[in-house]
Amino acid sequence: MDTISLAVLDDHQVVITGLKNMLSGVPEITVAFADTNSKALIEFLEVIQTDVLLLDIQMPETSGIDLCKQIRKTHRKIKIIAFSSFGEPHYVKQMMRAGASGYLLKNADQETLVKAIRTVAADGEFIDETVKKLLLQESLSGSKRSVYEIPLTKREKEILKLIAEENTNQEIADKLFLSLRTVETHRFNLTQKLEAKNTASLVKEAIKRGIID
């Protein structure tokens, strides 16, 4: 069996270490790159193109969705697997539209991880079984949601209001007694749910949908 070269980008070093340990006993998969920095990944791919990229969809410098689009434009042979804690259908659809060949949840076991990598390396597509069930439920319920019906949690609405008031992430964290990381996660979720590219479009969409005044 041919060796599959793998690049890993995740914003948590502990996740990277765990992935390396899971794959250390799989001889046909070689981890050629693993880092928490998206710029380092881009620089690496300019020199060496791996067969597969395991890409966290939530990165601090840029969203995994935008990064996926960028890499697919410049390195079309690389197969990308979205790697995420989020299994909601709208995340999956956005990543697949961006050019990903697979979608894997971060709680996947070794067998599922290896299967996903092998499948996309062989030009196939792989969707985590849990995610498949969520997509099926959405399909069966006929939930082609109106763009105005995307549900936000109470906390997301609070943070959205503070964003609209031009508070920084740190200021929001201080006001709501949250960690900066928690605020960043909520902000990322909001941009994905409202399909916004930046703060201005996020606020514009929120007003358009009547979420904030």
Side-chain angles (χ1 to χ4, degrees):
M1 184 178 292
D2 293 336
T3 299
I4 300 169
S5 60
L6 175 72
V8 178
L9 182 69
D10 193 284
D11 66 338
H12 288 94
Q13 186 60 49
V14 66
V15 173
I16 291 175
T17 301
L19 287 168
K20 283 183 173 180
N21 289 337
M22 290 174 74
L23 295 171
S24 61
V26 185
E28 76 268 26
I29 299 175
T30 301
V31 180
F33 173 93
D35 207 302
T36 59
N37 186 279
S38 56
K39 184 178 179 181
L41 170 68
I42 296 300
E43 291 175 351
F44 176 83
L45 294 179
E46 290 299 326
V47 180
I48 300 173
Q49 292 193 42
T50 57
D51 299 309
V52 179
L53 166 62
L54 199 59
L55 176 62
D56 187 354
I57 72 169
Q58 184 182 3
M59 296 299 298
E61 306 95 351
T62 182
S63 80
I65 295 168
D66 290 337
L67 199 54
C68 182
K69 291 177 182 177
Q70 179 184 346
I71 292 170
R72 288 293 295 154
K73 283 182 180 178
T74 54
H75 307 290
R76 296 196 62 82
K77 291 184 179 180
I78 298 176
K79 306 300 181 182
I80 299 174
I81 300 174
F83 192 51
S84 176
S85 301
F86 308 113
E88 290 86 350
H90 61 271
Y91 291 122
V92 183
K93 291 174 182 177
Q94 286 187 67
M95 279 303 293
M96 300 307 278
R97 282 198 295 263
S101 298
Y103 198 100
L104 187 66
L105 294 181
K106 288 191 177 183
N107 61 0
D109 57 21
Q110 183 195 44
E111 182 181 355
T112 304
L113 172 64
V114 172
K115 183 179 180 181
I117 294 169
R118 286 173 176 164
T119 300
V120 301
D123 293 328
E125 289 190 347
F126 183 92
I127 303 293
D128 192 288
E129 286 300 322
T130 301
V131 174
K132 279 184 181 178
K133 290 177 183 177
L134 291 172
L135 289 168
L136 180 60
Q137 287 172 5
E138 182 188 62
S139 175
L140 292 176
S141 65
S143 63
K144 278 192 171 180
R145 288 185 181 273
S146 159
V147 293
Y148 298 96
E149 295 177 350
I150 294 175
L152 299 182
T153 66
K154 180 181 178 182
R155 180 65 81 191
E156 285 173 338
K157 290 178 181 177
E158 288 176 335
I159 290 175
L160 189 53
K161 184 174 184 295
L162 290 171
I163 290 173
E165 293 171 356
E166 300 185 352
N167 289 277
T168 65
N169 286 351
Q170 187 60 63
E171 288 170 341
I172 294 171
D174 293 341
K175 289 180 179 181
L176 298 180
F177 304 101
L178 300 171
S179 70
L180 179 60
R181 177 65 183 171
T182 298
V183 173
E184 289 172 345
T185 298
H186 281 302
R187 190 175 191 129
F188 172 80
N189 289 343
L190 285 166
T191 60
Q192 299 308 304
K193 286 184 176 182
L194 300 184
E195 298 185 356
K197 292 184 177 181
N198 51 44
T199 300
S201 60
L202 178 63
V203 173
K204 181 179 178 181
E205 278 298 316
I207 294 172
K208 178 181 176 182
R209 298 165 194 251
I211 300 170
I212 58 176
D213 298 325

